[in-house]
Amino acid sequence: MNTDFWRQRWESNNIAFHKSEANPALVNYFEALAIAKDSRVFVPLSGKTLDIGWLLAQGYRVAGAELIEIAIQQLFAELGVTPQILELGEVKHYSAEHIDLFVGDIFQISSEMLGSVDAIYDRAALVALPADVRDRYTAHLGQITDQAPQLLITYEYDQTLMSGPPFSINSDEVYRHYGDRYQISQMLSQELPGGFRGKCAARETVWLLQRR
């Protein structure tokens, strides 16, 4: 995990990846996970996404992991909530009613630390990681969540025209990471209007991963 890269992005407010509204893919497809209200949803590499506020407003509990502490401080400030903060070795645990956010390297977060998870919403984790880390990440994510069902968002584009993140991930890679453990369904595949940063065409895909 390139801590310096992401810290610089947050400290310089170079966070174009942060959206000003809940992700339409979450709003439109989250119910496909078919989990009950009050279920606990894990959001890896969460940043300060407004998706967390949306999930809380829908009656879900949220857990998340984020490398950069300033993002989580800003998230709680924008939620208008004062968190309790505990040090868990190399990880900090920010918590309030219905929300637990862990600050640190996601690979330092254990299943015991995280607690039970009913579903995963991966909007910006897999696509944020370089290829040499993604195998390790998907294995670790499965281990700490007991292979919870997942709503996953990926992007596909010509990687020679633009360097990530977000990185390009095609369907073959999704199946390589998850096909042995999940039944995989494609919920949506669409061209992104304007592509990425006006540099190249890109396709967004929303995946539903259900335990086999």
Side-chain angles (χ1 to χ4, degrees):
M1 300 290 284
N2 192 336
T3 306
D4 290 340
F5 170 83
W6 289 109
R7 181 178 291 114
Q8 184 179 37
R9 293 284 295 270
W10 278 98
E11 289 179 349
S12 64
N13 201 39
N14 182 12
I15 52 172
F17 51 84
H18 176 69
K19 305 303 181 185
S20 59
E21 60 184 9
N23 193 315
L26 172 68
V27 175
N28 293 332
Y29 296 102
F30 190 78
E31 65 180 12
L33 287 164
I35 59 174
K37 294 300 174 73
D38 198 45
S39 293
R40 195 161 183 256
V41 181
F42 181 53
V43 184
L45 278 61
S46 64
K48 62 173 184 176
T49 176
L50 297 181
D51 297 344
I52 288 177
W54 184 89
L55 287 165
L56 292 169
Q58 304 307 305
Y60 299 104
R61 293 174 293 134
V62 178
E66 169 55 44
L67 185 63
I68 305 303
E69 189 168 18
I70 188 173
I72 298 307
Q73 292 170 339
Q74 291 179 9
L75 171 64
F76 275 97
E78 290 172 10
L79 289 174
V81 175
T82 301
Q84 294 184 331
I85 305 172
L86 294 176
E87 303 245 357
L88 304 174
E90 297 182 22
V91 175
K92 285 186 178 181
H93 179 197
Y94 279 65
S95 64
E97 187 177 16
H98 302 314
I99 185 168
D100 297 279
L101 295 177
F102 299 88
V103 177
D105 188 331
I106 193 170
F107 295 111
Q108 298 296 321
I109 297 173
S110 66
S111 56
E112 293 78 14
M113 189 184 300
L114 177 59
S116 63
V117 169
D118 299 300
I120 301 162
Y121 169 53
D122 185 344
R123 50 167 273 286
L126 186 65
V127 297
L129 299 171
D132 61 349
V133 179
R134 294 197 288 264
D135 283 335
R136 183 184 174 203
Y137 162 75
T138 53
H140 181 68
L141 182 66
Q143 190 273 321
I144 63 174
T145 64
D146 193 26
Q147 315 297 344
Q150 183 172 169
L151 190 70
L152 169 68
I153 300 173
T154 60
Y155 304 99
E156 189 172 357
Y157 62 92
D158 185 348
Q159 193 84 72
T160 66
L161 298 177
M162 189 189 83
S163 60
F167 294 101
S168 179
I169 297 174
N170 61 27
S171 59
D172 288 344
E173 181 172 351
V174 172
Y175 277 89
R176 179 169 62 80
H177 289 309
Y178 291 117
D180 62 334
R181 293 170 281 155
Y182 289 97
Q183 182 69 41
I184 300 174
S185 303
Q186 189 180 104
M187 306 298 291
L188 172 73
S189 184
Q190 65 178 5
E191 293 291 327
L192 284 179
F196 270 143
R197 305 170 197 167
K199 294 182 178 180
C200 61
R203 177 167 290 273
E204 176 187 45
T205 304
V206 180
W207 305 91
L208 178 67
L209 282 58
Q210 296 279 22
R211 287 191 187 101
R212 285 191 177 276

